[in-house]
Amino acid sequence: MAARNLITDAANTWCEGCGNFAILHSIKNIVGEFEKDGIKPEQIVLVTGIGCHAKIADYLNINTLYSLHGRAIPYATGIKIANPDLKVICCVGDGDSYAEGLEHLLFAAKRNLDITVVVHDNRVYGLTTGQYTPTSPGTHHGKSNPPDGSDFPFNPLKLMLCSGATFIGRGYTGRMDHLQDLIRDGISHKGFSFIEVLQICASFYNKSQCYDEHVYDYEGDVGDMGRAFSAASEWDYNSDARIPLGLIYRAEREIFEERFNNTTSDPGARRKAVLEYLGR
């Protein structure tokens, strides 16, 4: 039997130099690795939000779902609760998840859902050609804010540490091998995995030179919350400070699915429960 082609034949419309290519091929390679370990592509579901990042659902030949803008995580939550045996990956943008969908991100971390959220953080709304987002620097003049900027960015890693995520990391599309390892480890982690990816937007906010000059591999104690806060605080998304990459924090905690009494791994029992709930 011929090996399954994990890249579809859909025409790719990302801009030349877009960091999304590195994320696409990282996940494609990870799915291939999982298949060698006995985890079939059919056991993986990719949920996306709305934005340039979401086109990854068109290009990966696995189970995918486009959600509403900012609502990818609730869809991923429902899928995981309905079938805990699935590996659920949620690809979202920084505008998609840090603006419209922030409350869903916080509650998924708090509940320690066993899903992996990969944030394509290009720090700009690329699909709508350049508006600023919650991680744009204070001086950024996009198409929706004043010429001298309007406010300051928040720090998503610190927010996730406060919210209860049990796997927190940062990758960069300019280091695909490193990024691929980080995403694979996040998917394999039992609990809520948050991976922020510094993703280059070649057309509207190209930070390649800045990131190349400032990123470094973090090697602290990933089980130490204090060290993790220090690492997350090193760069405030508004300065030229050093930017740590890699796993920042990891902990073990009971996952939400284990506390959800209606969860069952038996497909027949799940179907029966759903039909009974619907009164059929």
Side-chain angles (χ1 to χ4, degrees):
M1 183 176 179
R4 177 175 182 167
N5 186 357
L6 292 172
I7 298 294
T8 70
D9 58 3
N12 195 304
T13 58
W14 284 329
C15 301
E16 183 178 350
C18 177
N20 281 319
F21 285 102
I23 301 174
L24 167 68
H25 287 281
S26 292
I27 295 177
K28 183 262 294 185
N29 292 342
I30 292 166
V31 173
E33 291 176 6
F34 280 159
E35 190 168 18
K36 292 178 181 178
D37 294 334
I39 301 172
K40 298 179 180 179
E42 290 77 12
Q43 295 172 269
I44 300 169
V45 179
L46 175 69
V47 183
T48 71
I50 298 296
C52 289
H53 77 274
K55 297 177 184 180
I56 194 172
D58 296 327
Y59 309 145
L60 274 174
N61 189 20
I62 58 176
N63 294 313
T64 59
L65 171 70
Y66 271 106
S67 77
L68 301 174
H69 198 194
R71 306 297 182 255
I73 291 175
Y75 282 82
T77 299
I79 291 169
K80 184 65 179 182
I81 291 173
N83 189 346
D85 297 331
L86 295 173
K87 289 189 177 294
V88 181
I89 307 167
C90 197
C91 282
V92 292
D94 48 318
D96 184 58
S97 59
Y98 296 158
E100 288 85 350
L102 181 61
E103 71 277 20
H104 300 302
L105 178 63
L106 298 180
F107 273 83
K110 180 178 78 73
R111 292 167 176 156
N112 197 31
L113 285 156
D114 189 19
I115 63 175
T116 301
V117 174
V118 179
V119 182
H120 301 223
D121 188 358
N122 56 22
R123 306 170 69 199
V124 72
Y125 281 94
L127 187 65
T128 48
T129 66
Q131 294 83 359
Y132 84 113
T133 78
T135 52
S136 300
T139 56
H140 178 66
H141 177 214
K143 294 185 177 181
S144 59
N145 64 321
D148 58 351
S150 59
D151 56 16
F152 292 94
F154 63 56
N155 188 319
L157 270 66
K158 292 172 69 174
L159 199 59
M160 287 293 94
L161 283 164
C162 292
S163 300
T166 52
F167 185 104
I168 300 172
R170 179 191 282 137
Y172 168 41
T173 54
R175 292 191 178 184
M176 182 175 154
D177 289 344
H178 179 272
L179 175 63
Q180 182 174 314
D181 290 343
L182 184 64
I183 295 176
R184 184 187 62 243
D185 291 346
I187 296 171
S188 299
H189 172 74
K190 188 176 182 180
F192 185 76
S193 298
F194 170 84
I195 300 168
E196 178 174 78
V197 183
L198 299 178
Q199 178 243 312
I200 297 303
C201 176
S203 296
F204 299 104
Y205 197 62
N206 193 338
K207 299 291 289 182
S208 299
Q209 182 176 349
C210 174
Y211 293 154
D212 288 342
E213 293 174 353
H214 291 87
V215 298
Y216 75 94
D217 293 333
Y218 177 71
E219 297 180 350
D221 181 357
V222 298
D224 186 325
M225 176 72 78
R227 290 286 298 276
F229 264 105
S230 295
S233 301
E234 191 168 354
W235 179 52
D236 64 2
Y237 294 74
N238 200 51
S239 66
D240 290 330
R242 299 178 75 211
I243 304 173
L245 297 180
L247 180 59
I248 305 296
Y249 181 73
R250 179 171 55 205
E252 301 297 327
R253 183 160 62 87
E254 184 184 33
I255 61 173
F256 180 75
E257 295 85 327
E258 293 172 343
R259 304 191 304 276
F260 195 81
N261 295 329
N262 293 329
T263 296
T264 172
S265 60
D266 179 64
R270 282 200 305 271
R271 178 175 173 77
K272 181 180 178 182
V274 170
L275 293 176
E276 287 178 352
Y277 177 78
L278 296 174
R280 298 179 183 176

